[in-house]
């Protein structure tokens, strides 16, 4: 049943709407926002209806692609309102990468992440998501292999990819 927005609800401006979508932490929050704002989303066809072979994601694809239902739906809602995330220029990326390399403490690294609004893919515990345990190969383990260096590498990867 379609419910119309309650009396007194003020629709959000475009920047407020983008921030509200990005700040949603659950599907129910996002669905409520979609309903209140009257956002129309393009539905995708079911594979059974179109005779397309269903795409099964491997655990590696799910982790690598940040492929959670909430993140996919947020991306679709942002696309529906015509928002494309801004891309960093080459100079900005180079500056941020140099700043990451110069960080000596977690405090400095987290301050940089917050200041530059860097989004990092969060990895889940295998027992919680039924993903296979990933064991590091000998090539991946180096003298500088410690949690801080691995976190810096994740932050670097995020900056380079976005």
């Amino acid at each position: 049943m379609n419910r119309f927005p309650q009396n007194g609800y003020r629709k959000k401006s475009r920047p407020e709407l983008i921030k509200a979508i990005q700040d949603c932490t659950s599907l129910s929050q996002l669905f409520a926002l979609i309903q209140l704002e009257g956002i129309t989303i393009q539905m995708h066809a079911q594979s059974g209806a179109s005779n397309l072979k269903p795409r099964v994601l491997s655990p590696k694809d799910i982790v690598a692609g940040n492929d959670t239902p909430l993140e996919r739906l947020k991306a679709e809602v942002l696309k529906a309102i015509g928002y494309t995330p801004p891309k960093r220029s080459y100079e900005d990326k180079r500056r941020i990468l140099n700043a990451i390399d110069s960080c000596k403490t977690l405090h400095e690294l987290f301050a940089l992440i917050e200041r530059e609004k860097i989004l990092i893919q969060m990895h889940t515990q295998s027992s919680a998501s039924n993903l296979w345990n990933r064991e590091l190969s000998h090539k991946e383990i180096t003298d500088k292999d410690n949690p801080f260096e691995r976190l810096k590498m994740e932050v670097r990867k995020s900056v380079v990819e976005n």
Side-chain angles (χ1 to χ4, degrees):
M1 311 260 187
N2 290 339
R3 291 178 45 204
F4 293 98
Q6 299 172 348
N7 290 341
Y9 178 79
R10 180 186 62 85
K11 288 196 173 197
K12 298 179 181 333
S13 67
R14 184 175 167 81
E16 290 172 335
L17 182 58
I18 291 167
K19 181 164 178 21
I21 292 168
Q22 292 171 339
D23 289 345
C24 285
T25 57
S26 69
L27 287 171
S28 60
Q29 281 180 335
L30 190 56
F31 286 138
L33 183 63
I34 291 168
Q35 185 178 21
L36 287 172
E37 293 293 327
I39 300 170
T40 304
I41 303 171
Q42 175 72 33
M43 285 186 62
H44 298 280
Q46 294 293 321
S47 59
S50 61
N51 293 327
L52 295 176
K53 183 177 176 183
R55 179 175 171 231
V56 179
L57 296 174
S58 71
K60 185 178 179 181
D61 292 334
I62 293 170
V63 169
N66 194 19
D67 201 14
T68 64
L70 179 61
E71 293 303 318
R72 285 194 309 256
L73 185 58
K74 281 182 183 182
E76 289 297 320
V77 174
L78 288 170
K79 193 185 311 179
I81 64 170
Y83 173 76
T84 55
K87 297 286 182 177
R88 289 189 170 102
S89 69
Y90 176 78
E91 293 80 19
D92 281 344
K93 284 184 180 182
R94 179 62 41 211
R95 179 185 54 78
I96 294 171
L97 292 174
N98 289 336
I100 292 169
D101 291 338
S102 68
C103 288
K104 302 293 183 209
T105 65
L106 277 173
H107 177 72
E108 291 174 358
L109 185 59
F110 286 131
L112 178 68
I113 291 168
E114 185 177 355
R115 184 175 57 248
E116 297 294 338
K117 297 180 176 44
I118 300 171
L119 300 176
I120 305 169
Q121 169 65 39
M122 217 173 130
H123 299 281
T124 60
Q125 295 293 324
S126 59
S127 60
S129 62
N130 293 327
L131 294 176
W132 301 319
N133 288 332
R134 179 174 177 259
E135 293 183 23
L136 297 174
S137 68
H138 290 291
K139 290 180 181 177
E140 292 175 305
I141 299 174
T142 64
D143 293 336
K144 290 187 173 183
D145 186 45
N146 59 52
F148 180 62
E149 293 299 324
R150 286 194 297 262
L151 179 60
K152 282 173 68 170
M153 291 307 298
E154 287 294 321
V155 175
R156 285 182 60 81
K157 186 170 81 171
S158 177
V159 170
V160 169
E161 290 175 356
N162 293 325

